[in-house]
């Protein structure tokens, strides 16, 4: 499985970004997809996850109401729409694929390379 994340960049506080993750190598609909982030000097943290068919979604409390995860099984991609961005959202964002829908990063089998999001105040 290969995961390619894109869409990061520099944005002012209050702005929006949309991250995308392209999946290849296996059947996309066999995998739950998650987004995680890691700020400089901090541990990786869960952001959002979506089940194989898209019916189950979980968000971290810190992003609930501001971020939206979605997937397109026909296009083998998952997206993270990030609105009302805050400086504390600054981090490298990673997409991940796993067989179960979970907030635990250790249970994801495949990881993308990360895309940097920087939110200026």
């Amino acid at each position: 499985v290969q995961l390619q994340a894109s869409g990061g960049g520099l944005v002012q506080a209050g702005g929006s970004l949309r991250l995308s993750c392209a999946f290849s190598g296996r059947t996309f609909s066999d995998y739950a997809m998650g987004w995680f982030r890691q700020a400089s000097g901090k541990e990786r943290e869960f952001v959002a996850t979506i089940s194989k068919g898209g019916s189950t979604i979980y968000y971290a409390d810190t992003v609930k109401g501001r971020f939206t995860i979605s997937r397109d099984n026909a296009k083998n991609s998952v997206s993270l729409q990030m609105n009302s961005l805050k400086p504390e959202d600054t981090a490298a964002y990673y997409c991940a694929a796993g067989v179960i829908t979970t907030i635990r990063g250790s249970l994801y089998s495949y990881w993308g390379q990360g895309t940097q999001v920087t939110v200026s105040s």
Side-chain angles (χ1 to χ4, degrees):
V1 169
Q2 291 81 45
L3 300 173
Q4 182 71 41
S6 61
L10 174 65
V11 64
Q12 289 188 334
S16 298
L17 280 176
R18 186 177 181 86
L19 305 184
S20 295
C21 178
F23 176 104
S24 62
R26 293 281 178 90
T27 301
F28 182 60
S29 58
D30 286 345
Y31 292 88
M33 298 297 297
W35 286 98
F36 293 78
R37 66 187 182 186
Q38 187 167 20
S40 180
K42 296 186 177 181
E43 293 186 353
R44 182 183 65 196
E45 65 174 0
F46 165 75
V47 175
T49 185
I50 186 167
S51 61
K52 300 171 186 179
S55 61
T56 300
I57 291 174
Y58 301 121
Y59 294 101
D61 288 343
T62 52
V63 307
K64 200 172 295 182
R66 300 188 298 122
F67 291 11
T68 302
I69 189 171
S70 62
R71 67 187 294 158
D72 187 336
N73 284 356
K75 295 184 178 180
N76 293 349
S77 67
V78 60
S79 297
L80 185 69
Q81 177 66 43
M82 305 186 296
N83 298 329
S84 302
L85 283 161
K86 304 175 181 180
E88 51 264 43
D89 294 318
T90 295
Y93 283 71
Y94 299 86
C95 59
V99 295
I100 64 171
T101 308
T102 178
I103 68 172
R104 295 174 59 186
S106 61
L107 296 181
Y108 286 83
S109 302
Y110 305 101
W111 291 82
Q113 85 290 359
T115 184
Q116 180 68 34
V117 172
T118 302
V119 184
S120 63
S121 57

